[in-house]
């Protein structure tokens, strides 16, 4: 795992090293990460979770995902936009999520912004920044996987221009990876051949 190449998982199939670094990661890596996600609410969930992940490991968020979903009304944009001050206090006291005041406030503020958008507008904006796969070399090791790209920087700027918070270029690229705008499974990873076959809508990882 130290040289960042694909490594055998519990079933012997080669996977990205991070995908077998914890048992919780295996189904997420195999079935969700890198597969196209569509739908405003589903993408709002991803935006929120990636923002909450900032400064933390993704496994911390993954293990609290169901807690986040309960706390944030399934990440329905309209529902979260209607959250009150009492809901904010409830979130700040909820041990099932990450109780970071700035991140909670950003999620609520972002929902209020997005509630004013037309249906499908968030989906269309995010996906307009997906690069042409033909222009991206297939990563062979983790060293080939960037943390930021021109597209993620542009996406971050576009979202911020619309008033969204906590979505810098690195967070935007993590969103792009998780939602299938880019496929950063390593060349030898078993999941790479599967990512084009599944689209997720209405759910998030």
């Amino acid at each position: 795992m130290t040289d960042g190449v694909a490594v055998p998982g519990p079933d012997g199939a080669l996977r990205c090293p991070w995908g077998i670094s914890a048992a919780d990661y295996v189904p997420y890596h195999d079935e969700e990460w890198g597969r196209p996600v569509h739908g405003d609410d589903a993408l709002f969930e991803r935006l929120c979770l990636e923002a909450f992940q900032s400064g933390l490991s993704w496994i911390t968020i993954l293990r609290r995902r169901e807690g986040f979903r309960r706390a944030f009304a399934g990440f329905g944009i309209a529902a979260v936009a209607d959250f009150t001050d009492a809901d904010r206090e409830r979130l700040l006291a909820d041990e099932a999520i990450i109780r970071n005041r700035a991140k909670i406030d950003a999620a609520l503020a972002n929902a209020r912004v997005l509630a004013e958008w037309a249906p499908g507008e968030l989906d269309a904006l995010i996906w307009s920044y997906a690069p042409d796969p033909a222009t991206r070399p297939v990563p062979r090791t983790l060293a080939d996987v960037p943390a930021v790209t021109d597209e993620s920087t542009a996406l971050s700027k576009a979202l911020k221009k619309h008033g969204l918070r906590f979505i810098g270029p690195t967070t935007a690229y993590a969103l792009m990876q998780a939602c299938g705008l880019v496929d950063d499974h390593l060349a030898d990873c078993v999941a790479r051949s599967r990512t084009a076959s599944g689209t997720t809508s209405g759910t998030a990882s």
Side-chain angles (χ1 to χ4, degrees):
M1 291 179 62
T2 56
D3 53 3
V5 298
V7 293
D11 58 358
L14 294 176
R15 288 176 173 83
C16 303
W18 67 266
I20 62 166
S21 61
D24 310 62
Y25 270 147
V26 177
Y28 173 70
H29 167 274
D30 288 5
E31 301 164 17
E32 298 184 49
W33 192 78
R35 296 202 181 194
V37 175
H38 286 283
D40 292 342
D41 288 347
L43 289 166
F44 172 62
E45 178 175 357
R46 300 282 186 130
L47 278 169
C48 290
L49 294 181
E50 294 294 349
F52 273 100
Q53 185 270 334
S54 180
L56 303 171
S57 65
W58 179 247
I59 198 68
T60 301
I61 303 302
L62 191 61
R63 288 171 175 166
R64 289 171 170 76
R65 180 167 57 173
E66 293 308 317
F68 273 108
R69 286 174 171 169
R70 288 191 297 270
F72 283 92
F75 287 99
I77 293 171
V80 178
D82 285 339
F83 275 16
T84 64
D85 288 342
D87 287 307
R88 178 176 179 272
E89 294 306 311
R90 170 181 59 79
L91 293 169
L92 287 169
D94 192 339
E95 295 181 356
I97 66 171
I98 303 299
R99 294 176 293 171
N100 179 291
R101 189 180 302 272
K103 294 176 181 180
I104 288 171
D105 286 346
L108 302 185
N110 290 348
R112 292 173 189 133
V113 169
L114 295 173
E116 301 298 318
W117 290 21
E121 190 172 353
L122 177 62
D123 188 307
L125 186 149
I126 288 175
W127 276 90
S128 71
Y129 289 91
D132 180 352
T135 67
R136 305 189 81 246
V138 177
R140 302 205 66 83
T141 74
L142 294 182
D144 299 326
V145 179
V148 176
T149 63
D150 290 344
E151 291 87 358
S152 76
T153 300
L155 173 58
S156 172
K157 288 180 179 178
L159 292 170
K160 288 181 177 179
K161 183 178 179 180
H162 284 286
L164 273 68
R165 307 179 193 173
F166 244 102
I167 182 71
T170 302
T171 298
Y173 192 66
L175 175 78
M176 294 172 72
Q177 291 174 304
C179 294
L181 279 76
V182 297
D183 183 358
D184 277 343
H185 284 289
L186 301 183
D188 295 329
C189 176
V190 67
R192 186 168 184 91
S193 62
R194 302 172 183 166
T195 49
S197 64
T199 298
T200 305
S201 60
T203 59
S205 66

